[in-house]
Amino acid sequence: MIMAVALLLIVAGSVLFHFFNPWWTTPLASNWRLMDDTLTITLAITGIFFIVINLFVAYMLVRFRHREGHRAAHEPENRKLERWLIGGTTVGIMALLAPGLVVYANYVREPRDALVLEVLGQQWQWRFRFPGEDGKLGATDARFVSATNPFGIDPADRAGQDDLLIAGDEVHLPLGKPVLVLARSNDVLHDFFVPPFRARMNTVPGQVSRFWFTPTVAGRYEALCAQLCGVGHPNMRGYVVVEDPANYETWHAALPTFAKSQIKAPQAPAGAVAAGGARAEQGRALADAKGCVACHTVDGSPRVGPTWKGLHGKTETMADGSTALVDEAYLRSFIRDPQARHVKGFPPVMPKIELTDEELAALVAYIQSLGSPPAQAAAEQKAAR
């Protein structure tokens, strides 16, 4: 009897929790109301089965509870019951699968006039690419991926020369225009997901996934990774800005092409570390390309690893209690072998990144350019003592 009462309370609590819980889907901002309808159908069918099965079990516990003088009758088969169970289960599964199959078929069959947007996932950031004036995206291959070519675009493919690149985490889209998303990954499994659009798709290394949607509400929406892709997964965020077509065209016209991105800037002297210097700028681009920005901020806020703002010239405390001055030698050795020492308060999860000597010098220069002036750094250390 206690088990029957417990089951009844579980059913009642689950139903009440569904109607009064604070976790509802975000307001819809695309054409995919069918997604919401499919989820509602799934929830309704599974909810009905949950309630019926648990009430049936509770009834059986009461109806056939142990009583003195009664013995259970052994009935090895009941064909009528089996037919009802098979029929009911079949109808339930068909009702679950059919709407999803129909919606998914439409989800990957884009309109002919859809705007093409490529989304590239890499630990732990998003990049975006539009086709240029020729309307075609250039061919890509993993062997072409580098700090200056994170998309892996084939330099010999003329169709890729006018591709428009977005190395940052924000992309703009025109309001009311269908968008075909081509999603791929440079390393591990990711999942590009914009909750208000009900749009998401796995990005699998070695293949291109596709889906489409039409943004219907202007605004700035957060995109995230919906697959656990490593220690920086929670910080793998981006933004999709939906705006009127005129503003979108203005933003779109200012995007750099792949050809322009391959023009090398003049190199600064090897010791140049001033903010805005060519070498530091090269290091900033490298930090974006290698995904460093997923774990290290440049504004002083905490993340998986220490912030780079004011890091140079600072004295760090190690996990073993020792201290070390963050100078150029420290930065070089730490980047080369991040597991050799562990900074107190941060997990030892930084991967070893292969860098050339020139790339390492540029990255160090960028970190140095974010540091405090010597006088300020000295004052901060004196106050710390």
Side-chain angles (χ1 to χ4, degrees):
M1 185 63 72
I2 295 178
M3 287 299 298
V5 173
L7 286 173
L8 293 174
L9 291 175
I10 290 173
V11 170
S14 299
V15 172
L16 291 173
F17 180 79
H18 168 70
F19 286 104
F20 295 104
N21 80 81
W23 298 290
W24 295 98
T25 53
T26 58
L28 185 65
S30 80
N31 60 310
W32 285 116
R33 182 168 296 281
L34 287 174
M35 290 287 185
D36 284 3
D37 295 341
T38 302
L39 292 174
T40 300
I41 292 172
T42 301
L43 184 61
I45 293 175
T46 54
I48 290 171
F49 272 82
F50 171 79
I51 294 171
V52 170
I53 290 173
N54 280 283
L55 291 180
F56 175 75
V57 172
Y59 169 76
M60 288 296 155
L61 288 173
V62 175
R63 176 70 176 80
F64 299 104
R65 67 188 183 277
H66 173 71
R67 288 174 288 184
E68 293 293 339
H70 290 259
R71 287 179 62 84
H74 176 60
E75 186 176 347
E77 291 184 351
N78 187 324
R79 295 191 178 279
K80 183 178 180 180
L81 177 61
E82 289 176 2
R83 285 193 293 268
W84 273 104
L85 289 175
I86 292 173
T89 303
T90 301
V91 171
I93 292 175
M94 290 175 61
L96 286 172
L97 293 180
L101 291 174
V102 172
V103 173
Y104 186 80
N106 293 327
Y107 189 56
V108 297
R109 188 171 56 241
E110 75 282 356
R112 290 186 177 181
D113 63 340
L115 173 70
V116 177
L117 168 67
E118 182 184 72
V119 176
L120 176 64
Q122 180 179 337
Q123 292 175 312
W124 289 279
Q125 59 188 317
W126 298 108
R127 292 188 177 89
F128 306 95
R129 177 168 65 131
F130 288 104
E133 294 182 359
D134 60 3
K136 299 179 181 179
L137 288 173
T140 60
D141 194 284
R143 69 180 186 273
F144 298 123
V145 175
S146 66
T148 57
N149 185 11
F151 290 87
I153 300 172
D154 185 352
D157 185 5
R158 296 183 62 182
Q161 295 300 311
D162 64 347
D163 286 356
L164 303 174
L165 310 182
I166 305 168
D169 61 359
E170 182 175 292
V171 64
H172 292 222
L173 296 175
L175 181 66
K177 174 75 173 178
V179 179
L180 168 63
V181 177
L182 303 177
R184 60 188 180 93
S185 169
N186 264 357
D187 39 40
V188 300
L189 182 67
H190 299 288
D191 189 309
F192 183 71
F193 180 34
V194 185
F197 298 161
R198 307 299 187 265
R200 59 177 296 180
M201 182 64 71
N202 283 337
T203 63
V204 183
Q207 75 176 46
V208 178
S209 305
R210 61 193 297 129
F211 66 96
W212 74 278
F213 64 93
T214 300
T216 56
V217 180
R220 188 170 187 262
Y221 304 101
E222 187 173 34
L224 51 89
C225 179
Q227 289 285 358
L228 182 59
C229 57
V231 66
H233 164 72
N235 299 315
M236 190 169 175
R237 305 298 177 96
Y239 296 93
V240 178
V241 177
V242 179
E243 57 192 0
D244 64 83
N247 288 337
Y248 164 76
E249 290 298 336
T250 301
W251 172 85
H252 186 266
L255 293 177
T257 64
F258 171 67
K260 289 183 179 179
S261 72
Q262 299 306 292
I263 300 175
K264 293 185 177 180
Q267 295 296 314
V273 296
R279 186 175 290 274
E281 179 60 26
Q282 180 187 359
R284 185 200 63 75
L286 189 66
D288 288 339
K290 295 295 184 180
C292 306
V293 292
C295 297
H296 302 279
T297 68
V298 296
D299 60 3
S301 60
R303 202 168 274 184
V304 179
T307 180
W308 285 354
K309 182 179 181 181
L311 180 62
H312 183 252
K314 178 183 177 183
T315 298
E316 286 280 32
T317 301
M318 302 295 115
D320 60 4
S322 62
T323 59
L325 177 65
V326 181
D327 54 11
E328 183 175 346
Y330 172 93
L331 292 172
R332 286 177 174 271
S333 64
F334 199 101
I335 294 172
R336 284 294 191 198
D337 188 8
Q339 299 302 317
R341 59 176 79 183
H342 300 158
V343 179
K344 184 177 181 180
F346 298 96
V349 294
M350 178 173 168
K352 189 173 183 179
I353 302 173
E354 296 299 328
L355 297 170
T356 65
D357 291 341
E358 181 182 351
E359 290 175 336
L360 178 61
L363 190 56
V364 169
Y366 176 53
I367 298 174
Q368 288 176 316
S369 72
L370 299 168
S372 302
Q376 181 180 342
E380 290 176 348
Q381 289 189 33
K382 183 177 180 181
R385 297 192 192 100

